[in-house]
Amino acid sequence: QASPPEEKIKTLDKAGVLHRTKTVDKGKRLRKKHWSTSWTVLEGGVLTFFKDSKTSAAGGLRQPSKLSTPEYTVELKGASLSWAPKDKSSKKNVLELRSRDGSEYLIQHDSEAIISTWHKAIAEGISELSAD
Ligand code: I3S
């Protein structure tokens, strides 16, 4: 018996602190990279980067909008994810996320184990949403 899409997406929820920067805004390459440490939530097919990294894990996962201001929200539907090529950053463990509206983000964590769980969760989110 197939479960409704909402249930499939809910099982993918994930939250944590990541380093991220936006490199392209709707097709326009930004002149400078500004890396920030950001509380990040994957919920309901949307990846949200918050302005600060201090929001508590439990609260942030439940009701992120009430606790701090989202800086960027990325709809995973139609997005693509890959490991960033070396020329995009000198940092290790960098993911590149391209949204359907032509924006690009780099996502990084020094821990390979942690970035790998994000890679998996975001990739699964993208493929779940594209399957419908
Ligand atoms: O693509 P870039 O210019 O090498 O990116 C670096 C800059 O954003 C740099 O800022 P300043 O130009 O203010 O120093 C950052 O500190 C670096 O982290 C950026 O390079 P990496 O390779 O870390 O993404």
Side-chain angles (χ1 to χ4, degrees), residues 21 31-35 87-91 106:
T21 182
R31 262 186 283 132
K32 229 181 147 321
K33 258 189 265 165
H34 295 286
W35 285 99
D87 62 338
K88 292 286 176 80
S89 175
S90 62
K91 299 183 194 305
L106 298 179

Side-chain angles (χ1 to χ4, degrees), residues 13-116:
D13 282 3
K14 185 169 176 56
V17 173
L18 288 174
H19 307 297
R20 48 79 180 173
T21 182
K22 190 174 191 178
T23 54
V24 179
D25 182 49
K26 294 173 186 151
K28 185 166 179 280
R29 184 158 292 277
L30 301 172
R31 262 186 283 132
K32 229 181 147 321
K33 258 189 265 165
H34 295 286
W35 285 99
S36 306
T37 304
S38 176
W39 177 246
T40 307
V41 174
L42 175 59
E43 186 175 45
V46 178
L47 186 69
T48 304
F49 298 108
F50 289 88
K51 278 185 179 161
D52 64 83
S53 58
K54 298 186 185 85
T55 313
S56 82
L61 193 57
R62 296 285 164 253
Q63 292 184 302
S65 60
K66 291 190 179 164
L67 289 160
S68 82
T69 317
E71 184 157 24
Y72 304 125
T73 58
V74 187
E75 300 260 357
L76 293 189
K77 193 173 172 66
S80 64
L81 181 74
S82 58
W83 293 100
K86 289 281 172 234
D87 62 338
K88 292 286 176 80
S89 175
S90 62
K91 299 183 194 305
K92 61 177 179 179
N93 306 328
V94 183
L95 290 171
E96 185 173 56
L97 178 65
R98 295 156 190 252
S99 63
R100 191 165 55 170
D101 71 355
S103 296
E104 296 182 18
Y105 304 84
L106 298 179
I107 302 168
Q108 192 267 347
H109 198 288
D110 281 345
S111 159
E112 193 178 340
I114 289 171
I115 200 72
S116 295

